[in-house]
Amino acid sequence: MRVLVVYCHPVPESYCASIRDTAVEVLKGRGWDVRLVDLYAENFNPVMSCEERRSYNDRAPEDPALRPHFEHLQWAEAILFIYPTWWYGLPAMLKGWFDRVWATDVAFKLPAGKGRITSLMRHVTKVGVITTCGAPTWWSVVVGQPGRKTILRGMRALCATRCRTFFLAHYLMDSSTPKSRAAFLAKVRARLERF
């Protein structure tokens, strides 16, 4: 299995980095081919330019910095997202990655007239999310979990028809303890053994 790990956190020593390292270790230990995209480490530019937006419906973006990301998407059979939930959603860097990389002629084709979008991501059969969240579970549910829905409903709709998904969150991160963080890493390890 070829898995793309998309990691998004600005602080190199963050708890999310421990999650990333655990995930990569488990996936490689299973014999999977792993590619890691660290958006902050590579200084990914999440801002769509005026010209890029103007041509968005016509063709894939021409920015050469995006080409490796397009290739990663075409290569992946599984995608794992690791990020902190901020204000109930995705960090701006990750949202910008979706805006610029999951583009026309990369993730989908637009019809010439009326009609349905054609997916170019049917080779992706598994999508997972591992995140941290300062809010409690119940409040995240009340708010509607927009980050979870963006990936596991919106983006997943472009993947294989029977694409399997999972969502794992360490809630109440702001009041977490060494014990709660260690327990969550154990959950991450166990869940990825079944991914």
Side-chain angles (χ1 to χ4, degrees):
M1 182 68 71
R2 297 186 304 267
V3 59
L4 177 63
V5 177
V6 180
Y7 174 71
C8 184
H9 199 292
V11 181
E13 70 277 11
S14 71
Y15 177 66
C16 271
S18 297
I19 295 170
R20 174 202 62 208
D21 295 345
T22 299
V24 169
E25 175 193 322
V26 171
L27 295 171
K28 285 185 174 180
R30 293 185 63 193
W32 286 20
D33 192 359
V34 178
R35 288 188 186 177
L36 173 64
V37 172
D38 184 335
L39 297 176
Y40 276 95
E42 74 173 58
N43 200 26
F44 179 79
N45 179 5
V47 179
M48 183 182 288
S49 70
C50 175
E51 189 50 43
E52 193 174 317
R53 181 61 196 122
R54 284 184 175 145
S55 63
Y56 187 84
N57 290 353
D58 302 323
R59 64 180 181 278
E62 296 176 353
D63 183 346
L66 297 177
R67 286 191 194 119
H69 294 271
F70 298 158
E71 199 277 322
H72 291 323
L73 280 189
Q74 292 159 357
W75 169 87
E77 295 172 308
I79 306 176
L80 177 62
F81 297 94
I82 301 171
Y83 62 88
T85 295
W86 290 336
W87 288 108
Y88 315 107
L90 308 173
M93 177 79 79
L94 182 55
K95 177 59 170 65
W97 184 80
F98 279 123
D99 291 345
R100 299 191 70 211
V101 175
W102 289 57
T104 306
D105 294 335
V106 178
F108 60 88
K109 282 193 173 294
L110 290 173
K114 291 184 178 179
R116 299 178 70 153
I117 289 174
T118 303
S119 171
L120 299 177
M121 298 290 292
R122 296 291 181 205
H123 55 280
V124 175
T125 61
K126 297 174 188 281
V127 176
V129 170
I130 305 174
T131 188
T132 57
C133 185
T137 308
W138 71 270
W139 183 247
S140 298
V141 171
V142 167
V143 170
Q145 298 180 307
R148 178 181 189 158
K149 288 178 181 174
T150 295
I151 295 176
L152 297 187
R153 288 190 186 175
M155 310 316 285
R156 183 247 176 259
L158 289 173
C159 299
T161 304
R162 297 184 189 274
C163 179
R164 300 184 75 177
T165 65
F166 81 87
F167 181 87
L168 198 56
H170 184 312
Y171 293 101
L172 294 172
M173 188 64 204
D174 299 341
S175 58
S176 70
T177 64
K179 184 178 178 180
S180 73
R181 292 190 297 274
F184 186 73
L185 285 180
K187 279 186 188 177
V188 167
R189 196 173 284 282
R191 187 61 190 85
L192 289 177
E193 288 290 351
R194 303 188 315 272
F195 185 39

